[in-house]
Amino acid sequence: MLLSTRASPYLPLRRLIYRCVMSATDISAYKETFARRMAMAGIKPHHRIAVGVSGGPDSMALCALSAGWKSDGSVKRDDVSGYVDGLLGIVVDHRLRPESSDEAKLVRDRVHKMGVRCEIVCCDWPDGRPKQGHLQEAAREMRYQLFVDLCIKQQFSILLIAHHADDQAELLVLRLSRNSGVMGLAGMAFVSQLFPHLISPNQGVLLVRPMLEFSKHDIYKICEGSNLEWVEDPTNKSMLFARNRIRSSLTSLSSCSFWSEVQSLISACRLTRASVDKVCRELISQSLTISEFGYATIDLEKLNPTEIDDLCLSQYMTAVIQFISQKHRPVRGRSSRLLMDYTRGMPCKSSLTVAGCNLSPAPGSKGRKIVVSFSVDSLDSSKNASTLYNCLSDFHFEESRLHTETGDIIRELNLRSNLLVHEKSSVPFVNAKSPVDILNEAKKLNLINDFTLKELSLLQQEEQNRFSSSKEAKTSKNELHERTSEGALSVHLEPGHACYFMNRFLVTYGVNYSTLNKNVDHHCQFCQASGERKVAIRHMVDADWLFLARVSRSHYIEKGVDPGTFNKSEVEFSDYMVLSAAKALEALRFIPASARRALPVVVNNQDLILSVPSVGFRCCPCINVEADFRPRVPLGGGYNSYL
């Protein structure tokens, strides 16, 4: 046997450590393949690279290959620590089991012995642990958030993850059972961008999966040849999780032709996705305009949606919707069809609210342009849609090495990707309407044979039956939650702090104390407050622009103000405030009504408006508030390579 098992002194018996007892395997071919994949990703040994390490065979093999690749590329080890320069292992302690901290330390120590510096980051769950039924999804989101935030903090531009060919096959079956189209069946990207929850001027972190050509069998061979130890997570054997059930079923299909044809099918889907993404980028550059006020305008005459394939149009609209809403769930089914029908209905005469956005005819366009704005009715106040920062410590934005490296790599990859897609004259599955259509077309193209078609169809149906039994209950709960979670989201700020409001606007807040302390000739609710400087940020409501209109016409507050806040029971609006309101109203005239509601508004503890920074309104010059439309994830979701 190649493998032996023994119980770790640090772990409970149900958690097993594996160690290869033979080291005769020649892994030079694997090293060459790894080096070629890294070159395809535009990565060079001198780049600063982080590796996600779980302690399993996949990530331990990746860690060993990365260290060897850097060393072969003449990257030296630190004379004091002995670690490979510019390489960092990251272990996530999910804190979901009592023994997880000890396990994380054990993995860290093993990575150190490989000559790789390693750090542990811990999950801090708001409610103690993820909600029941969403454990794996929540753990994955938290894990990637911690990966990226640490990479940004320590200036690592590249993150390697150990997904391999078997993972892609499992994902294919899983997405077949969820009725995914060809875009979903393309699986995980080879290279993609991840963006931190922290506000950063950088282009995020490049997520690279250099082991997608390796099978699980290859992974074990690499571990054997490198004399590595690893741990196996017992949850990977639980049939409660869909991926584990699919993995178990696929393991029984040992036919080499089956696995080869599955990979051919995935490759064809990836080619199609790369081609569709290229078309969408071109359409976006031709027909879409992004406003600094947080909405987009689609020029239907330039887009010409009736001449675009459903697949390309759907992906185009999804990209726009995800960017404006900053909600990155796929837009599928009825929502996707509504968007395509609405876009093709030129001239547009009505409005549509779908997938967190409002679509309406652009003013003065006669229905030939569409405004896409964020729908505040889709806000979920139970979720932390805004993040607070300290302006002094978190906003020293300078051009960094990380920013330059990421930008250079992406430019090189874009050129290469466009050439590869251009060389492929035939793109399959463009007109396929369902997973069944995709499988049947793959059979006609001789990508898969009858046996593979039959087995994939059986696996799809088996998992689909399990999924459908719980889908209806989950959908009804989600719809109920969506209806009951509407309302204004309010975030409190103190001077010197900033807020990333709804993942869309960067709002910075300060007080000009030199102006505040002078005997200025105006009276406002902010200046007269007894030392209270905390403010709140919410989205605009209809009453706000009515208030601005009243201020611009009148010099007196008539009602709704606590006289005790001021020196006089009736206080004149200052000339500054009146003029500021008039200018703000003029700016609002050119913002579509549907887009105004998503603008941030700064108010005091009585909900009286202090500032509408996007349109330049301030009640007095002592308040310094700025709002920049800076979505966390850029249009198109950042760079993705499926080739």
Side-chain angles (χ1 to χ4, degrees):
M1 292 180 64
L2 293 178
L3 305 177
S4 66
T5 65
R6 58 175 176 156
S8 166
Y10 300 99
L11 306 179
L13 289 175
R14 60 192 176 87
R15 180 93 169 167
L16 295 179
I17 285 186
Y18 291 74
R19 178 183 178 86
C20 288
V21 297
M22 296 177 60
S23 57
T25 299
D26 181 8
I27 63 170
S28 58
Y30 296 122
K31 289 183 175 180
E32 291 175 4
T33 300
F34 182 83
R36 176 174 56 82
R37 296 289 289 182
M38 294 292 275
M40 287 175 61
I43 304 173
K44 299 175 175 59
H46 70 269
H47 287 146
R48 289 173 60 80
I49 298 170
V51 182
V53 186
S54 66
D58 311 343
S59 61
M60 296 302 283
L62 174 60
C63 214
L65 288 173
S66 301
W69 171 76
K70 267 188 168 282
S71 297
D72 292 343
S74 301
V75 174
K76 298 180 180 179
R77 293 177 182 258
D78 184 90
D79 293 335
V80 177
S81 66
Y83 298 145
V84 177
D85 284 343
L87 186 62
L88 172 69
I90 307 176
V91 179
V92 176
D93 178 5
H94 291 94
R95 292 181 171 176
L96 296 174
R97 293 178 291 107
E99 61 272 16
S100 66
S101 295
D102 289 336
E103 293 169 0
K105 292 175 184 176
L106 178 63
V107 173
R108 179 194 59 192
D109 293 343
R110 290 177 183 273
V111 174
H112 281 167
K113 290 179 182 178
M114 297 167 64
V116 177
R117 181 167 71 89
C118 188
E119 292 192 16
I120 297 173
V121 290
C122 300
C123 296
D124 184 15
W125 300 103
D127 300 319
R129 62 182 293 117
K131 292 181 180 179
Q132 189 68 24
H134 298 277
L135 180 67
Q136 287 190 325
E137 179 183 353
R140 179 188 180 279
E141 289 182 3
M142 179 71 80
R143 182 165 62 250
Y144 278 93
Q145 177 183 328
L146 293 173
F147 280 154
V148 176
D149 288 346
L150 184 62
C151 286
I152 293 290
K153 182 179 179 181
Q154 298 199 14
Q155 293 286 289
F156 283 85
S157 56
I158 296 152
L159 172 66
L160 305 185
I161 298 294
H163 290 128
H164 49 79
D166 290 30
D167 293 325
Q168 288 281 56
E170 293 165 15
L171 186 58
L172 174 77
V173 176
L174 181 65
R175 290 185 172 174
L176 282 171
S177 71
R178 304 306 193 253
N179 284 319
S180 290
V182 65
M183 305 300 279
L185 299 183
M188 296 172 282
F190 170 42
V191 181
S192 57
Q193 270 178 290
L194 295 177
F195 298 91
H197 286 248
L198 299 171
I199 304 173
S200 170
N202 298 310
Q203 299 190 43
V205 172
L206 283 182
L207 174 67
V208 182
R209 298 179 173 94
M211 301 177 73
L212 288 179
E213 286 188 9
F214 296 154
S215 67
K216 191 72 172 186
H217 177 73
D218 295 328
I219 300 294
Y220 285 125
K221 287 288 187 180
I222 294 167
C223 289
E224 174 190 336
S226 304
N227 196 28
L228 300 177
E229 291 182 306
W230 68 89
V231 293
E232 293 281 6
D233 191 336
T235 60
N236 288 337
K237 302 295 183 181
S238 172
M239 294 298 105
L240 293 175
F241 300 113
R243 267 188 173 274
N244 296 346
R245 294 192 297 269
I246 294 169
R247 183 180 304 126
S248 177
S249 298
L250 286 172
T251 301
S252 65
L253 298 168
S254 58
S255 166
C256 291
S257 63
F258 172 83
W259 285 96
S260 174
E261 290 176 7
V262 166
Q263 296 305 321
S264 296
L265 172 59
I266 294 172
S267 296
C269 291
R270 293 167 77 79
L271 170 62
T272 302
R273 169 139 197 172
S275 301
V276 171
D277 285 345
K278 181 175 183 291
V279 170
C280 287
R281 288 194 297 270
E282 294 171 351
L283 292 174
I284 285 171
S285 66
Q286 296 167 6
S287 62
L288 192 72
T289 304
I290 305 298
S291 167
E292 62 180 311
F293 299 110
Y295 65 92
T297 303
I298 299 173
D299 189 322
L300 295 178
E301 292 184 327
K302 293 180 179 179
L303 179 63
N304 195 12
T306 57
E307 299 300 318
I308 301 174
D309 291 327
D310 281 1
L311 185 58
C312 293
L313 183 59
S314 175
Q315 189 69 0
Y316 170 91
M317 293 304 299
T318 293
V320 176
I321 292 294
Q322 289 179 334
F323 175 68
I324 295 300
S325 69
Q326 284 295 293
K327 297 177 181 178
H328 294 278
R329 298 184 185 90
V331 181
R332 299 191 182 104
R334 181 173 176 271
S335 295
S336 179
R337 176 52 59 186
L338 282 172
L339 285 168
M340 288 193 292
D341 290 346
Y342 182 84
T343 306
R344 285 170 171 159
M346 187 175 67
C348 294
K349 298 179 181 179
S350 60
S351 297
L352 173 69
T353 299
V354 63
C357 287
N358 177 270
L359 289 77
S360 58
S365 70
K366 297 182 179 179
R368 290 177 170 78
K369 293 182 179 180
I370 295 174
V371 170
V372 183
S373 57
F374 179 62
S375 172
V376 296
D377 292 335
S378 68
L379 279 174
D380 186 350
S381 57
S382 67
K383 294 184 179 179
N384 183 18
S386 302
T387 310
L388 301 177
Y389 301 94
N390 185 313
C391 294
L392 298 178
S393 62
D394 295 332
F395 289 93
H396 295 296
F397 290 159
E398 298 176 357
E399 191 76 9
S400 65
R401 174 185 173 183
L402 187 151
H403 176 88
T404 303
E405 280 187 354
T406 305
D408 290 345
I409 293 172
I410 289 174
R411 280 188 289 273
E412 179 183 338
L413 290 176
N414 267 324
L415 290 173
R416 190 183 307 166
S417 177
N418 288 338
L419 288 173
L420 286 171
V421 172
H422 183 71
E423 291 172 358
K424 306 292 184 179
S425 57
S426 177
V427 179
F429 314 135
V430 172
N431 297 313
K433 302 298 182 183
S434 69
V436 173
D437 292 343
I438 293 172
L439 292 178
N440 288 332
E441 185 175 342
K443 170 65 172 58
K444 292 178 181 178
L445 294 171
N446 292 321
L447 294 173
I448 59 176
N449 61 24
D450 288 329
F451 173 79
T452 302
L453 173 62
K454 177 184 176 182
E455 293 301 325
L456 285 176
S457 298
L458 288 173
L459 290 170
Q460 173 196 10
Q461 189 61 51
E462 181 180 339
E463 191 54 43
Q464 194 171 44
N465 291 339
R466 291 177 178 268
F467 178 65
S468 299
S469 63
S470 60
K471 182 179 179 181
E472 184 176 347
K474 288 182 179 179
T475 301
S476 62
K477 287 183 180 179
N478 289 338
E479 289 174 352
L480 177 62
H481 180 66
E482 191 170 316
R483 289 195 299 269
T484 58
S485 63
E486 297 176 4
L489 180 68
S490 180
V491 182
H492 293 278
L493 279 182
E494 295 181 357
H497 285 75
C499 169
Y500 205 13
F501 191 62
M502 299 187 295
N503 284 334
R504 304 172 74 250
F505 286 95
L506 171 58
V507 182
T508 57
Y509 165 52
V511 177
N512 189 339
Y513 288 98
S514 60
T515 303
L516 182 64
N517 294 331
K518 292 180 180 178
N519 185 21
V520 292
D521 184 25
H522 68 271
H523 307 277
C524 75
Q525 55 265 44
F526 184 80
C527 292
Q528 299 299 324
S530 57
E532 176 60 47
R533 301 288 175 242
K534 182 180 286 188
V535 299
I537 303 177
R538 58 167 173 77
H539 65 78
M540 183 173 271
V541 295
D542 294 351
D544 293 339
W545 51 79
L546 296 177
F547 171 77
L548 293 175
R550 183 161 64 86
V551 172
S552 68
R553 296 194 306 266
S554 171
H555 286 275
Y556 294 94
I557 294 180
E558 301 172 8
K559 59 183 179 179
V561 179
D562 180 5
T565 308
F566 305 96
N567 292 335
K568 298 185 293 183
S569 59
E570 273 193 353
V571 181
E572 281 192 10
F573 291 128
S574 67
D575 290 340
Y576 180 92
M577 188 173 179
V578 173
L579 182 61
S580 183
K583 289 182 177 179
L585 281 174
E586 183 65 20
L588 282 170
R589 284 181 53 206
F590 298 96
I591 302 175
S594 60
R596 296 176 194 169
R597 297 191 67 202
L599 296 177
V601 176
V602 179
V603 298
N604 67 3
N605 58 6
Q606 296 173 318
D607 202 38
L608 294 173
I609 300 177
L610 302 177
S611 175
V612 186
S614 299
V615 293
F617 173 74
R618 292 191 289 176
C619 68
C620 71
C622 62
I623 297 178
N624 184 18
V625 184
E626 295 182 1
D628 296 322
F629 180 58
R630 191 187 298 181
R632 185 175 73 88
V633 180
L635 182 61
Y639 179 79
N640 284 281
S641 171
Y642 287 84
L643 295 177

